[in-house]
Amino acid sequence: MMDLLINVIAFAFMLSLTGYAVALGIGNWKIATVNARTAHIERELLRKRIDQITDEQRMSREKSDASWNGFRKFEVMRKNPEGGGICSFYLTPHDKKPLPPFAPGQYLTFQLPIPGERKPVIRCYSLSDSPHHPNYYRVSIKAVPPPRDKPEAPPGLSSNFFHDSLNEADILDVKAPGGQFFLDTTKHTPVVLIGGGIGLTPLLSMLNTICESGSNREVWFFYGVRNSSEHVMKEHLEQLNAEYENLRLMVCYSNPGDDDVAGRDYQHGERVSVNLFQRVLPSSNYNFYMCGPPPMMNTVVPELTAWGVPEKDIHFEAFGPATVKKATPEKSAEEKAAAAAAAESIEVVFAKSGKTLQWDAEADSILEFAEDNEIAIDFGCRAGNCGTCITAVRSGEVDYVVEPGAAPEAGSCLTCISVPKSSITLDA
Ligand SMILES: Cc1cc2nc3c(=O)[nH]c(=O)nc-3n(C[C@H](O)[C@H](O)[C@H](O)COP(=O)(O)OP(=O)(O)OC[C@H]3O[C@@H](n4cnc5c(N)ncnc54)[C@H](O)[C@@H]3O)c2cc1C
Ligand code: FES
């Protein structure tokens, strides 16, 4: 039916062109050939556009049919070590019902019953493959070690739980895909995708999506790591680079190892920077998508703005509270006592829940305080990135413990990273 429609439109288009040529008295065969070719190109473009619209409509239908509220049980279908301390987990829904598609760049939120923890641990992990695999979601997780300057600290809770304690056939509680950092797949404008370290994951999902959809969208893929010991998905990326003419792969090693070979293992022996973009990109006229460690984000994002890239074309996400942290020096005993005394005068009114509570100076955030008092506020990243925990402030003001990834709307606050400045009334 669709084919018939396309052919009828293309035929009508060709007839109109030919008729136009005859009317002008130019009825030679060369023009007819050009007309036929033009009609063929038009027909292909039309077919692509119709396929795209059909795909978008199907995905939005499937999304609303198959999405879910709260947590859903998933089974670990496959656990695949990727090297570099990273392991991929392929997850299928335990109820075997369809999976909603997601936008490449979005993430899943997990609720993990980690032994020894007072309450379930909540963490987000980006989907690392394209949404074109209806039978699984994939996340790729780096086992986080203790900080270098504090080797005695316990290693990352959730990431090491995934690596050490989760196996195939284990069950996990997972929230539906969410997040505002995603590729606009309805557009075909050229993109620069920039992944640093484990920040590769959402960009990989975007890249796989573009390639698998057969789009000719121009893609520059910058991947920054220290050297080959951190270089994951190497074979996969090289294969895509060889297969897709619209893709330019730029692997950057900031500190190449003795056995690492320029041109074979990596393209640039330097950090990802705007200076590098200026040397290799034809212009700054791209949509930039970026996720990486704090030093990379804190330099590249402002440098892009300084290069003249409009803010609307710079999209980025930080993993966890990686956004610029406010300097909060360790409090002295007197300061702690003063904070506790100040907290006594701060009342938090959760208007919808009908609760008025005295603020707890020990609480890390309004979100945590609400949860401790059995008031439910939706959340995703718990790091000021996703906007899920946004809550209207009816009166009063908040202080941000870390800078929000995206400024919340006026009259509202991100409860996961804020504390009350004075007595406050919230719409929760
Ligand atoms: C939107 C989003 C997407 C993400 N996607 C991914 C992804 O695709 N892949 C991925 O790997 N990660 C991803 N993350 C990061 C992930 O959510 C976790 O933040 C990460 O795995 C670390 O969590 P953890 O529980 O393992 O570590 P945590 O337990 O939170 O610990 C963090 C660090 O603190 C240290 N620490 C613990 N206790 C102490 C102490 N007492 N003193 C000093 N230091 C201490 C730990 O050793 C560790 O280095 C994403 C985050 C967000 C917000
Ligand atoms: S939970 Fe994501 S911004 Fe608060």
Side-chain angles (χ1 to χ4, degrees), residues 60-378:
S60 115
R61 229 181 10 254
E62 284 173 11
K63 189 169 181 178
S64 54
D65 288 351
S67 197
W68 70 95
N69 288 320
F71 289 95
R72 181 174 174 186
K73 301 253 176 255
F74 275 71
E75 189 175 325
V76 179
M77 175 176 108
R78 197 173 136 207
K79 183 176 175 182
N80 190 43
E82 307 282 4
I86 294 170
C87 193
S88 289
F89 295 83
Y90 293 74
L91 309 169
T92 50
H94 192 52
D95 57 18
K96 310 278 183 241
K97 289 187 182 155
L99 276 180
F102 59 90
Q106 289 191 309
Y107 57 80
L108 296 176
T109 302
F110 294 82
Q111 179 176 259
L112 305 160
I114 301 184
E117 289 307 304
R118 196 166 50 89
K119 46 187 183 180
V121 174
I122 309 281
R123 292 286 186 277
C124 300
Y125 291 100
S126 302
L127 289 145
S128 62
D129 206 350
S130 82
H132 298 136
H133 305 276
N135 59 329
Y136 69 80
Y137 285 152
R138 185 181 75 177
V139 289
S140 304
I141 299 178
K142 183 183 167 88
V144 177
R148 270 189 223 154
D149 59 352
K150 217 172 177 191
E152 73 285 4
L157 255 182
S158 149
S159 55
N160 287 283
F161 174 74
F162 265 91
H163 276 247
D164 302 339
S165 305
L166 279 180
N167 291 304
E168 284 166 15
D170 282 347
I171 303 289
L172 286 165
D173 288 319
V174 186
K175 271 189 126 188
Q180 299 305 315
F181 174 68
F182 57 81
L183 180 74
D184 185 349
T185 49
T186 61
K187 289 199 182 132
H188 293 278
T189 42
V191 285
V192 178
L193 308 180
I194 310 153
I198 187 59
L200 166 79
T201 51
L203 288 316
L204 188 60
S205 173
M206 295 180 192
L207 177 66
N208 286 355
T209 306
I210 294 173
C211 292
E212 287 170 22
S213 68
S215 155
N216 289 326
R217 195 169 186 174
E218 182 186 340
V219 189
W220 291 77
F221 194 88
F222 290 85
Y223 176 29
V225 284
R226 247 175 287 204
N227 50 46
S228 56
S229 68
E230 293 180 350
H231 188 168
V232 295
M233 312 270 182
K234 187 168 188 262
E235 215 174 294
H236 172 72
L237 289 171
E238 282 170 2
Q239 199 179 328
L240 292 183
N241 198 37
E243 205 171 319
Y244 294 92
E245 278 184 5
N246 51 317
L247 167 64
R248 307 266 184 292
L249 176 65
M250 301 278 144
V251 176
C252 303
Y253 283 5
S254 60
N255 185 15
D258 291 343
D259 296 334
D260 297 340
V261 178
R264 185 194 68 185
D265 299 313
Y266 63 97
Q267 281 69 46
H268 302 280
E270 59 187 292
R271 285 179 200 282
V272 174
S273 68
V274 169
N275 178 287
L276 175 62
F277 300 158
Q278 285 167 337
R279 279 178 278 135
V280 299
L281 294 177
S283 76
S284 62
N285 200 10
Y286 289 85
N287 263 277
F288 292 82
Y289 290 84
M290 176 172 168
C291 182
M296 179 171 161
M297 308 287 286
N298 289 340
T299 53
V300 178
V301 173
E303 280 176 14
L304 281 172
T305 312
W307 191 22
V309 180
E311 227 167 79
K312 68 172 180 47
D313 294 341
I314 308 174
H315 315 266
F316 61 91
E317 179 168 76
F319 281 177
T323 34
V324 190
K325 268 210 174 196
K326 274 191 178 174
T328 46
E330 183 63 27
K331 286 193 180 94
S332 66
E334 294 81 52
E335 282 169 329
K336 277 186 187 161
E344 276 176 28
S345 66
I346 296 179
E347 260 187 1
V348 184
V349 181
F350 292 97
K352 279 190 184 160
S353 315
K355 287 191 179 174
T356 300
L357 304 161
Q358 187 194 311
W359 175 245
D360 174 3
E362 294 289 303
D364 284 341
S365 65
I366 294 174
L367 175 64
E368 195 187 292
F369 180 67
E371 286 172 338
D372 287 346
N373 289 287
E374 286 164 359
I375 295 160
I377 296 180
D378 275 349

Side-chain angles (χ1 to χ4, degrees), residues 107 367 378-390 414-417:
Y107 57 80
L367 175 64
D378 275 349
F379 60 85
C381 63
R382 300 179 80 95
N385 286 317
C386 70
T388 311
C389 67
I390 196 160
L414 296 175
T415 54
C416 69
I417 52 164

